[in-house]
Each structure stands twice: as structure tokens, then as C-alpha cells.
């Protein structure tokens, strides 16, 4: 029942119309936590229902690659993607523990460039 704005036309509309985005599930329910999501791991039915797709597994591979480049965790790249958009974007996160809160801070140091954003969007 949620709308997404990961397509180029939606992102362009937000930028052109100066509309801010409040990204619900900005960390994809932990999909990008290292080692959590795997096509064979169906333990978390809601994670599977919402996030398991061929494109998202491509994004996961690219996120892991950029995490190594930026020397952060993949979850930080996922959150940085939300924060580095060319329009105002606010990330709603849902950490359940203090270590989960601390694990998000790495995203603040990541500045994804346009090429990296396109790469994560599967546009390159």
C-alpha cells in the first residue's frame, strides 16, 4: 500500500517541484545489513514480501561494493542514498537498540555522487 519514488521520473518531479520526501523504511527493514538478505533465506516473511526482488538483489550487490569503497557498512550506503538525493529528503529510521542507532551514524559521513546514485538506481 506504499508508494515508492525510486524511479527517475518520481525523483525528477520531487526536485522540480521542491517537494521534500519523508522516506519511510529508509533502511529497507534491514535488507542492506551485511549478511541479512539472501535469496535462499526466507526466514523473515515481511522482509521477503517487501524487499526481495531481482532488482533489489542487484542493488544489494552494488551497495556492498560501494560500502567497501567508502569504508562503511552497506546499511550506511542505503541510508546515504536517501540523504544524498538532489531534493530535500528525510530518513525515517527504526532502530530497536542502542547499537542499531549507533550503526546509522556512518551514513552521515558518506557523500554519494551523481554517478554512484545512478549506479544504485540501476541506471548505469
Amino acid at each position: 500500500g506504499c508508494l515508492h519514488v525510486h524511479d527517475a521520473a518520481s525523483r525528477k518531479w520531487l526536485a522540480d517541484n521542491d517537494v521534500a520526501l519523508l522516506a519511510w523504511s529508509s533502511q529497507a527493514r534491514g535488507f542492506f545489513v551485511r549478511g541479512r538478505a539472501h535469496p535462499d533465506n526466507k526466514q523473515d516473511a515481511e522482509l521477503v514480501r517487501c524487499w526481495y526482488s531481482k532488482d533489489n538483489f542487484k542493488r544489494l550487490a552494488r551497495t556492498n561494493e560501494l560500502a567497501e569503497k567508502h569504508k562503511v557498512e552497506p546499511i550506511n550506503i542505503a541510508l546515504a542514498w536517501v540523504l544524498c538525493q538532489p531534493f530535500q529528503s528525510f530518513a525515517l529510521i527504526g532502530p530497536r537498540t542502542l547499537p542499531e542507532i549507533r550503526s546509522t551514524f556512518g551514513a552521515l559521513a558518506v557523500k554519494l555522487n551523481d554517478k554512484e546514485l545512478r549506479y544504485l538506481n540501476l541506471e548505469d
Side-chain angles (χ1 to χ4, degrees), residues 9-22:
S10 294
R11 290 190 317 273
K12 182 179 181 333
W13 186 88
L14 289 167
D16 289 350
N17 292 284
D18 198 28
V19 174
L21 172 70
L22 176 59

Side-chain angles (χ1 to χ4, degrees), residues 6 11 31-34 37 53-81 110 112-124:
H6 70 271
R11 290 190 317 273
F31 181 83
F32 295 99
V33 169
R34 191 179 306 278
S53 71
K54 188 176 182 178
D55 281 350
N56 280 344
F57 279 107
K58 284 182 193 175
R59 287 182 183 96
L60 177 60
R62 291 176 179 203
T63 298
N64 289 336
E65 179 185 321
L66 288 176
E68 287 185 30
K69 175 185 169 188
H70 286 275
K71 298 181 180 12
V72 296
E73 290 297 314
I75 194 71
N76 299 137
I77 297 296
L79 184 54
W81 180 87
V110 177
L112 298 172
N113 61 43
D114 290 339
K115 183 177 180 180
E116 291 169 323
L117 290 171
R118 285 192 309 276
Y119 185 62
L120 291 171
N121 293 336
L122 307 180
E123 295 170 4
D124 283 344

Side-chain angles (χ1 to χ4, degrees), residues 14 19-26 82 87-93:
L14 289 167
V19 174
L21 172 70
L22 176 59
W24 179 268
S25 196
S26 60
V82 172
F87 47 84
Q88 288 192 54
S89 185
F90 303 93
L92 181 61
I93 62 172

